[in-house]
Amino acid sequence: MATLGVSEAERDAIARLEKDVIAPSMSAIVILQFTAEWCGPCKQLSPILDKVAADYAAKGVKLVRIDVDQEKLIAAQFRIQSIPTVYAFFQGQPVADLTSFRTESQITRVLDELLKQAKVAPADDAAPQADIEPLLLMAEQVLSDGDAPRAVSIFRQIHDMVPDNAAAVGGLARALAADGQLDEARSVLAGAPEAVGKDAEISRARAAIEMASAAPTGDTSALDARLAANPNDHEAAFELAGARMAAGDRDSAADLLLGIIGAERDWNEGAARSRLLQLMEAQGLEDPWARTQRRRLSALLFT
């Protein structure tokens, strides 16, 4: 792409296009989305493209976005008339216009055909951490939102790409536990490379599996009734906390456990405190929520 007669800023924009789109497209399918902050349809389409890119990352697909307000020269060169505009690139050339597609199934059908025709090699197992980090963040958000099956799918893709990555191993195990697949979750941890066995992410996953294993299943109305009738029924509160944890309601679980600790600190040999610490570990000890619960626990224990 010629750069004569353009400003330094424009040359930088062209260099970014070559680095982010053209070069990667030599060995992968690059989905290029033209977007803008003010574009409502873009915001509706972006999560769909994010999911497709995550699901297809190991197959050799990458997603790149260009803001038409920030990259006006690039938008002009592509003659962007409206947004969202979406192209698929391969070997430096646009090979498909995906603009009219608005559903995951429509987009994946085109990608499947492009991957078949282009014979794109699967992503290298040694994918750099910089490429994995956005996928890990997405998977964590999906899991936090309560969509365990989708989180399993995304974490599995990441794990396939970097099987020796502690965050990928631990995240997949936690997602499987949240989805009720406890045996597979344990199998994932058992198969983790020795080098990551003592990583905090692995400890976090073990705590999540232990909590999921101990949580009661089924209707909890009887436990609610017991606790309503007797607020000092610590056994009911403890079991109900386990059920709330399994359901993803960590705030309610923490409140119940802290209630037990506040009423009877050493009940059942400190079981409530141990379970709360386990819950915090499963969330990640540096997680803001976990830090808040640690402060609440300290306030009970040292006042």
Side-chain angles (χ1 to χ4, degrees), residues 103-131:
T103 68
E104 180 182 345
S105 61
Q106 290 174 330
I107 297 167
T108 56
R109 276 199 300 270
V110 176
L111 287 178
D112 286 338
E113 186 60 31
L114 289 176
L115 289 167
K116 180 180 178 181
Q117 294 179 3
K119 295 182 173 59
V120 175
D124 188 350
D125 283 347
Q129 180 66 28
D131 290 343

Side-chain angles (χ1 to χ4, degrees), residues 231-235 257-273 300-301:
N232 291 319
D233 187 341
H234 300 328
E235 182 180 351
L257 293 170
L258 286 165
I260 297 172
I261 297 167
E264 190 176 343
R265 180 181 305 180
D266 296 324
W267 175 79
N268 196 17
E269 299 181 348
R273 179 174 177 272
L300 281 177
L301 296 177

